[in-house]
Amino acid sequence: MKKGIIALLSLAFVITGCASGPSLSTADHTQEWKALEKPLNFYLANDLGRNGYYDQKPIAETMGRMAETIDIEFVLAAGDVHHFEGVQSVSDPLWMTNYELVYSHPDLMIDWYPICGNHEYRSNTDAVVQYSSVSARWEMPAKYYTFVKEEDGVTVRVIMLDTTPMIDKYRGETEKYADASKSDYMEQLAWLDNVLSEADEDWVLAVGHHPIYAYTDKSESERTDLQQRLDPVLRKYGNVDMYLCGHIHTFQHIRKNGCDIDYVVNTSGSLSRDDVQTVDGTVFCSNKSGYSLITADSTELNLHMLDKDGNVLHTVKRTK
């Protein structure tokens, strides 16, 4: 049974000294942000867990301020909420310093739908799922799952994927990523195929931690494994609008010839990487830290890439 910890967060935030002051950016974006709003609005954030340091607290503050203006329904947390060694249990102190005490704005006390990233796989991935029984806003029924949101007649299906076990690099490092080899990724891909075969919502989003296409200095095998295993299933029924991921700590928007999917790499919500370059299919890229706002109505789906102050850097737009 879920514990009522959320009501205590503001007090705990002050007592522990973890609260930060107002962001250095005082620009009023209210009108700009309001113009982005649609019937269904939600955030995409990932690669967060830095105990509030670097840009994590300023970005959390901007997310809160934007949510005062736009009706944000929920947050997609695309992995690495806990950087470095993951969490050992549901009572690990990192839950407070990486998550609860950082995203403490009242308008961020909404449903968060997470998946595991490779850093969660360095420790106890079951605890990441089990934390749903502790936090009132952490909604993770399994390591991969799907849900549908409807607002004013617009429907969005979100498919949350567990990509780490699909990559041989992690499956082979059993001492470092012990849980990765325990998962049958073929079973997950069969499940995904079944979900997509029946998906008829206005918009369909697939969310994983690792990119299928992106510029990065990380091992090329991470992407080729997903290109061979995951990408064919995503393309099979022609109904996936966007594949959303993180991991690279940069913004990237990629379109591949002969494919209608928008491949989106969301940057880090705490510490971005300087090096980003174009690759085959690059529409936009940036080394800024930040998060994304996704808005939808029945005829248009937008993903707005935002820097830490809430400025729109690029918009991925899909229309019917």
Side-chain angles (χ1 to χ4, degrees), residues 6-303:
I6 300 300
L8 301 176
L9 286 180
S10 295
L11 178 59
F13 206 35
V14 173
I15 291 174
T16 59
C18 291
S20 63
S23 170
L24 294 177
S25 173
T26 56
D28 185 358
H29 294 287
T30 303
Q31 295 306 314
E32 300 165 42
W33 291 345
K34 193 66 179 176
L36 304 177
E37 188 173 27
K38 288 186 177 296
L40 186 58
N41 313 280
F42 51 99
Y43 288 148
L44 171 66
N46 48 267
D47 297 276
L48 307 173
R50 301 279 178 171
N51 292 298
Y53 284 90
Y54 304 101
D55 288 331
Q56 190 180 11
K57 285 182 182 177
I59 290 170
E61 291 167 2
T62 301
M63 292 170 66
R65 292 199 311 274
M66 178 177 276
E68 294 175 0
T69 301
I70 298 174
D71 185 15
I72 303 298
E73 297 288 339
F74 57 93
V75 181
L76 302 178
D80 285 0
V81 173
H82 302 288
H83 258 96
F84 310 116
E85 302 305 319
V87 289
Q88 296 182 8
S89 69
V90 296
S91 58
D92 193 310
L94 289 175
W95 285 109
M96 291 291 115
T97 59
N98 278 338
Y99 177 59
E100 299 286 7
L101 298 179
V102 179
Y103 303 96
S104 58
H105 190 286
D107 287 311
L108 297 181
M109 299 300 162
I110 53 181
D111 289 340
W112 286 60
Y113 294 96
I115 49 175
C116 289
N118 52 293
H119 283 278
E120 277 86 5
Y121 264 92
R122 292 187 182 186
S123 193
N124 185 353
T125 54
D126 290 335
V128 184
V129 178
Q130 293 163 0
Y131 194 65
S132 299
S133 66
V134 176
S135 174
R137 55 179 170 163
W138 191 263
E139 297 290 341
M140 190 177 182
K143 290 178 184 174
Y144 56 89
Y145 56 99
T146 186
F147 61 92
V148 175
K149 294 290 184 177
E150 180 176 1
E151 191 72 32
D152 292 348
V154 58
T155 55
V156 176
R157 176 174 291 278
V158 181
I159 305 169
M160 305 296 283
L161 299 169
D162 188 20
T163 54
T164 302
M166 299 182 193
I167 298 171
D168 288 342
K169 167 187 170 181
Y170 301 110
R171 297 180 67 84
E173 295 187 44
T174 54
E175 290 188 8
K176 191 174 184 179
Y177 303 100
D179 288 351
S181 62
K182 299 176 184 177
S183 175
D184 184 352
Y185 72 83
M186 293 299 294
E187 181 178 303
Q188 182 182 177
L189 292 175
W191 169 86
L192 173 62
D193 186 284
N194 183 64
V195 170
L196 289 177
S197 72
E198 300 176 354
D200 61 355
E201 288 75 22
D202 294 321
W203 309 104
V204 177
L205 305 177
V207 184
H209 180 65
H210 296 85
I212 300 173
Y213 302 101
Y215 170 79
T216 174
D217 59 2
K218 293 180 181 291
S219 172
E220 181 67 19
S221 66
E222 291 187 13
R223 291 173 302 292
T224 55
D225 283 352
L226 294 185
Q227 289 165 18
Q228 295 166 6
R229 296 167 179 171
L230 176 57
D231 203 31
V233 183
L234 295 178
R235 297 188 186 204
K236 183 175 181 179
Y237 298 99
N239 55 356
V240 175
D241 293 287
M242 296 182 187
Y243 175 72
L244 313 176
C245 67
H247 189 53
I248 304 301
H249 296 219
T250 58
F251 280 123
Q252 298 185 51
H253 173 203
I254 295 170
R255 290 293 299 263
K256 303 296 288 185
N257 287 335
C259 179
D260 192 41
I261 298 173
D262 285 287
Y263 296 91
V264 175
V265 182
N266 194 50
T267 191
S268 170
S270 57
L271 183 63
S272 63
R273 296 191 173 100
D274 291 335
D275 189 18
V276 62
Q277 302 174 27
T278 60
V279 295
D280 178 47
T282 297
V283 179
F284 174 83
C285 60
S286 170
N287 63 0
K288 302 291 186 182
S289 59
Y291 63 105
S292 289
L293 167 70
I294 303 171
T295 66
D297 60 27
S298 59
T299 62
E300 188 172 279
L301 174 72
N302 291 323
L303 181 143

